Amino acid sequence: RRCIQPSLAPASSLLSHIMTLPLVAALAFALASPPPSRCSTRDLLRRTRPASMQFGGLNPFRGKQDGATAFCLTLAFRTADRGPRSLLGQLDSLAADADTSSEDGIAALCADTALLLLRRKQEWLYCCGEAKDHGRDEAALERFDRLAIREAAKFDDRDSSATVDAALAAAGVAAPAGGPPTAAVVCAVGCLAGDREAALGGADFAGSATGMQTALEELAAARAEDALAFELFWVPGDDSEALEMEEVVLDWPQLMPC
């Protein structure tokens, strides 16, 4: 904060300086506040969150609802069909019906995905996950961005020519109607307001069905204003693609039987 000292300058000069100060201050504020690099629902939600007080990186007055927790939950399944009531069919329906342009829509996608995965708990073969609490919302959202980019690279970097259905087609053997049986991998990446790590008893829970269930319950029960960000990934995405469990283990080495 600057302190303006009185001077012996003429009154007219002093008046012109006083009238110029608000304009200079406004210009300085505009220059110091760069525009956001993108405009998304997540950014709008981030700006509505209250700022937390920091004391040397730690806030002694921090409550359970301060800050935010970044989640990354991955599950592997074996699915025998591709119909509308199958895992892959229900994921397609979730994506088609999702409204990611609103706060309520993102929260609904988060809750509906978590409930779908919880209802299929008996089908879980492998699982891994992490839930890291951060004292600042910005830090949690930065972690969410890194997790989402990491997972997107795994799901996008798949070579369809290496799939079983491609080999069958090359041999002149038609795949079953609706797609062949396949392994499937589902990954949910989210960011929820508040400290959710304590409820899980730790940040990492690879191979723990109990930890995965608790994390999914946190996502399913989150209020609309607490769901700061959410992304959903899954493979295979094409009805003709089949994924072998050996490929899953190679591409997602963190997965462990649960």
Side-chain angles (χ1 to χ4, degrees), residues 6-11:
S7 67
L8 298 179

Side-chain angles (χ1 to χ4, degrees), residues 225-256:
E225 59 267 28
D226 289 340
L228 304 185
F230 184 79
E231 288 202 35
L232 175 63
F233 306 91
W234 74 90
V235 287
D238 190 281
D239 285 344
S240 63
E241 181 183 1
L243 186 64
E244 288 296 319
M245 196 57 71
E246 289 79 5
E247 297 177 79
V248 171
V249 174
L250 287 175
D251 291 345
W252 287 272
Q254 303 92 341
L255 285 170
M256 297 183 66

Side-chain angles (χ1 to χ4, degrees), residues 71 73 110-111 114-115 118 121 124 192 196 199-200 209-222:
F71 290 81
L73 312 177
C110 177
L115 286 173
L118 283 169
K121 181 181 177 181
W124 298 353
L192 300 183
R196 315 291 175 129
L200 300 173
T210 301
M212 179 62 67
Q213 178 178 340
T214 303
L216 288 172
E217 289 172 350
E218 290 285 338
L219 292 176

Side-chain angles (χ1 to χ4, degrees), residues 14-51:
L14 181 60
L15 180 59
S16 64
H17 280 75
I18 293 175
M19 294 178 65
T20 306
L21 282 175
L23 178 60
V24 173
L27 179 60
F29 178 80
L31 293 176
S33 305
S37 58
R38 57 183 173 177
C39 182
S40 66
T41 304
R42 195 210 74 179
D43 292 317
L44 296 176
L45 292 175
R46 177 175 59 189
R47 288 196 290 269
T48 63
R49 293 282 300 156

